[in-house]
């Protein structure tokens, strides 16, 4: 019996069936080698003051550097900056992996950020993601594919402002 | 948020960063979905979350990452600069449950003229389980610095 994974997502009754249909292995060494180095298209985002404010409110951070122009201007930053994880809102990079991964479910495994320069209101940030690792592991929920992507964020002056290494789990 | 400055020379390995308590409501998860653009339904649609095998909607990993960011930037103060922030989502966290953000200084050093500290950081749930361990590096002002 062939089950479409996307159908399963819509029909909880099939969840058990999907579990049984989970393969014990999916990735081959050659697939991993094909995936590593896969790049996304660049995504450009204009960093808007209003978006920074809404993001700061959403994470419950009242730091005036994100919302108060007067305080931010007299700070070491010289103007409004974005919170450390604000770049999560700068689009989702999708590296072009040359094969389909037949799992719909997604979990975020974690992120590792490095900051080189402020992200300022008014900046234009370009994000490019590159797959740096891919692996699989069997767990309680069946087979899981771990995809590590390094996202480099540069500003309009072509300065590297930040990198984020993110692990996504597909299962 | 804290407005006083943290100075590098006042710190030592083992120093405990003032902890922060967060309790995300479902409303906050929706607000975060809107602000971040992450509209994956496991964060606000209970039926959907349950259909994927979760026990209910879960907090966005990236929102937990943001809480740890606030832990560090509040403590570093207006003269401090966050240089690195990393965390792993080892356990699910759910809305309307108390989460504590905590951290400890693990290394104090100078590098390329910068005064830095490395920290172990984490989020723990109300049962004391560490769901989100991580690390951070902060650059701090130094009173006696010539630079």
């Amino acid at each position: 019996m062939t089950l479409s994974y996307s159908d399963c997502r819509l029909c909880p009754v099939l969840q058990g069936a999907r579990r049984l249909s989970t393969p014990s292995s999916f990735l081959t060494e050659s697939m991993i080698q094909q995936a590593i180095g896969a790049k996304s298209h660049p995504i450009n985002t204009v960093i808007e003051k209003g978006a920074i404010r809404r993001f700061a409110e959403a994470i419950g951070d009242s730091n005036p550097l994100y919302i108060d122009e007067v305080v931010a201007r007299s700070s070491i930053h010289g103007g409004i900056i974005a919170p450390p994880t604000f770049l999560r809102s700068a689009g989702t990079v999708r590296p072009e992996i040359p094969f389909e991964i037949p799992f719909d479910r997604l979990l975020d495994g974690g992120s590792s950020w490095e900051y080189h320069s402020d992200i300022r209101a008014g900046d234009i940030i370009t994000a490019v993601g590159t797959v740096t690792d891919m692996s699989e592991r069997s767990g309680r929920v069946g087979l899981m594919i771990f995809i590590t992507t390094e996202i480099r964020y540069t500003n309009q002056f072509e300065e590297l402002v930040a990198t984020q290494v993110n692990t996504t789990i597909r299962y | 948020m804290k407005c006083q400055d943290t100075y590098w020379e006042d710190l030592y390995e083992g120093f405990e960063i003032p902890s922060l308590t967060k309790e995300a409501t479902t409303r906050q998860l929706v607000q975060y979905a809107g602000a971040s653009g992450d509209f994956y339904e496991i964060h606000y649609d209970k039926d959907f979350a349950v259909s994927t095998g979760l026990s209910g909607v879960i907090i966005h990993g990236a929102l937990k990452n943001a809480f740890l960011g606030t832990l560090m930037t509040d403590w570093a103060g207006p003269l401090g600069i966050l240089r690195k922030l990393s965390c792993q989502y080892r356990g699910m966290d759910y809305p309307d449950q108390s989460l504590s953000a905590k951290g400890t200084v693990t290394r104090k050093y100078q590098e390329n003229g910068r005064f830095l500290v490395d920290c172990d950081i984490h989020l723990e749930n109300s049962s004391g389980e560490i769901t989100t361990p991580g690390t951070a590096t902060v650059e701090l002002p130094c009173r006696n610095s010539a630079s």
Side-chain angles (χ1 to χ4, degrees):
Chain A
M1 176 166 114
T2 308
L3 283 172
S4 151
Y5 290 102
S6 54
D7 290 342
C8 290
R9 188 172 86 166
L10 299 172
C11 178
V13 177
L14 291 178
Q15 291 301 322
R18 179 201 178 274
R19 282 291 163 251
L20 293 174
S21 74
T22 300
S24 60
S25 178
F26 172 71
L27 289 176
T28 61
E29 192 54 40
S30 103
M31 289 162 88
I32 293 169
Q33 291 314 317
Q34 280 176 52
I36 290 175
K39 273 191 160 35
S40 72
H41 286 293
I43 297 180
N44 296 316
T45 306
V46 178
I47 307 300
E48 293 168 354
K49 219 182 277 185
I52 293 176
R53 171 183 284 272
R54 280 189 295 277
F55 189 90
E57 285 169 1
I59 65 172
D61 192 327
S62 58
N63 194 322
L65 294 174
Y66 311 143
I67 48 180
D68 187 325
E69 188 72 63
V70 175
V71 172
R73 272 197 197 190
S74 60
S75 76
I76 58 171
H77 305 282
I80 284 182
I81 58 166
T85 60
F86 176 78
L87 291 172
R88 291 291 299 207
S89 69
T92 305
V93 300
R94 297 186 196 287
E96 296 181 341
I97 296 169
F99 50 85
E100 284 290 310
I101 295 172
F103 301 109
D104 279 345
R105 300 177 184 182
L106 195 74
L107 282 176
D108 191 346
S111 280
S112 184
W113 298 88
E114 209 164 318
Y115 302 103
H116 304 286
S117 186
D118 287 334
I119 297 129
R120 301 167 168 283
D123 278 351
I124 301 165
I125 300 292
T126 302
V128 176
T130 307
V131 174
T132 57
D133 195 23
M134 193 180 274
S135 63
E136 66 180 25
R137 213 179 293 168
S138 272
R140 192 175 47 82
V141 295
L143 190 65
M144 300 182 288
I145 310 288
F146 290 73
I147 305 160
T148 306
T149 306
E150 183 192 69
I151 308 164
R152 292 167 68 86
Y153 301 92
T154 48
N155 65 16
Q156 66 276 26
F157 308 112
E158 291 177 10
E159 289 173 320
L160 179 69
V161 293
T163 56
Q164 178 193 181
V165 177
N166 176 248
T167 303
T168 306
I169 304 160
R170 302 269 296 270
Y171 68 106
Chain B
M1 103 138 243
K2 193 189 76 140
C3 288
Q4 77 209 60
D5 301 325
T6 296
Y7 285 93
W8 184 78
E9 57 264 65
D10 297 338
L11 300 175
Y12 47 89
E13 284 172 23
F15 178 93
E16 283 189 25
I17 297 166
S19 69
L20 199 69
T21 304
K22 293 282 181 181
E23 191 172 308
T25 56
T26 312
R27 181 193 178 97
Q28 186 175 12
L29 301 193
V30 172
Q31 205 179 353
Y32 184 77
S36 70
D38 180 350
F39 290 102
Y40 192 26
E41 292 86 343
I42 59 171
H43 303 300
Y44 53 85
D45 181 337
K46 189 177 177 185
D47 291 344
F48 180 87
V50 168
S51 82
T52 71
L54 296 167
S55 61
V57 298
I58 60 167
I59 300 180
H60 298 77
L63 178 56
K64 301 197 289 179
N65 194 170
F67 291 160
L68 289 170
T70 301
L71 171 78
M72 297 313 295
T73 51
D74 271 9
W75 172 62
L79 299 177
I81 298 170
L82 184 63
R83 291 290 175 198
K84 290 182 188 173
L85 177 67
S86 105
C87 65
Q88 294 177 310
Y89 314 123
R90 296 261 179 89
M92 306 292 175
D93 284 297
Y94 303 90
D96 303 316
Q97 292 184 6
S98 173
L99 282 176
S100 300
K102 296 180 178 176
T104 308
V105 173
T106 55
R107 184 176 168 224
K108 176 180 171 180
Y109 57 106
Q110 293 181 46
E111 200 175 86
N112 303 323
R114 290 172 171 174
F115 296 88
L116 301 165
V117 290
D118 290 346
C119 306
D120 277 347
I121 56 176
H122 69 260
L123 287 181
E124 64 184 52
N125 64 20
S126 52
S127 312
E129 294 158 342
I130 294 177
T131 62
T132 315
T135 56
T137 300
V138 176
E139 180 180 349
L140 293 167
C142 178
R143 290 189 197 89
N144 303 321
S145 128
S147 58

